[in-house]
Amino acid sequence: MSNITQTRASTQVPEQVDMRGPRFVAWVTTVVLVVTLLAAPSSAAAAAVILGVQAVVFAVGAVLGPRKHPYGLVFATLIAPRLGPVTDREPAAPLKFAQLVGLVFAVVGVIAFSSGLLLLGLVATGCALVAALLNAAFGICLGCRLYPLAARLRPKPRASATAP
């Protein structure tokens, strides 16, 4: 298959992932965010470190997508082989956007905890926790729901002039 054919095939059908993977990722993220909130009152520095690690995980998911996400790799390696065949899939692009939203909240939280703004750190972490828990427990991905709006706001690519 030529590169042109591969490119056309990849642009026509968006990347799809097993829906169970993002739910697993959301459960692990929920645990990490709860640990962050529990650590924050006694040590804002510890909360900043824990949330900083989660921010890196969010960044990997936002840039590389669900198949390269650290928790997603754990799911694919250890959990998925023990489950039945994939029955439902979802597109990867909204999941990447959801990870970007999580990254924004995590970065705000890290900066807040590091600056001694405990309340702001708790609120930012709490917002990320609510989103992760909604996805984990109920399959409601807030970032995925916001994705169509964000996609509409993205500038449209210009039609390139082709030379004869």
Side-chain angles (χ1 to χ4, degrees), residues 53-78:
V53 170
Q54 181 60 48
V56 170
V57 171
F58 280 140
V60 170
V63 173
L64 301 179
R67 293 190 190 278
K68 301 291 184 188
H69 189 285
Y71 305 155
L73 291 172
V74 170
F75 173 80
T77 305
L78 301 177

Side-chain angles (χ1 to χ4, degrees), residues 29-39 125 129:
T29 301
T30 296
V31 170
V32 172
L33 295 173
V34 166
V35 169
T36 302
L37 290 174
L38 292 173
T125 305
L129 174 60

Side-chain angles (χ1 to χ4, degrees), residues 25-143:
V25 167
W27 277 116
V28 176
T29 301
T30 296
V31 170
V32 172
L33 295 173
V34 166
V35 169
T36 302
L37 290 174
L38 292 173
S42 60
S43 175
V49 169
I50 297 166
L51 193 56
V53 170
Q54 181 60 48
V56 170
V57 171
F58 280 140
V60 170
V63 173
L64 301 179
R67 293 190 190 278
K68 301 291 184 188
H69 189 285
Y71 305 155
L73 291 172
V74 170
F75 173 80
T77 305
L78 301 177
I79 310 294
R82 292 173 172 74
L83 301 175
V86 177
T87 56
D88 291 319
R89 295 183 181 273
E90 61 186 328
L95 298 169
K96 289 175 70 172
F97 179 76
Q99 292 292 304
L100 178 62
V101 172
L103 174 62
V104 169
F105 281 112
V107 167
V108 169
V110 169
I111 292 169
F113 286 134
S114 299
S115 303
L117 301 170
L118 184 64
L119 182 60
L120 178 59
L122 292 171
V123 169
T125 305
C127 289
L129 174 60
V130 167
L133 187 58
L134 279 172
N135 192 0
F138 303 107
I140 300 169
C141 175
L142 295 180

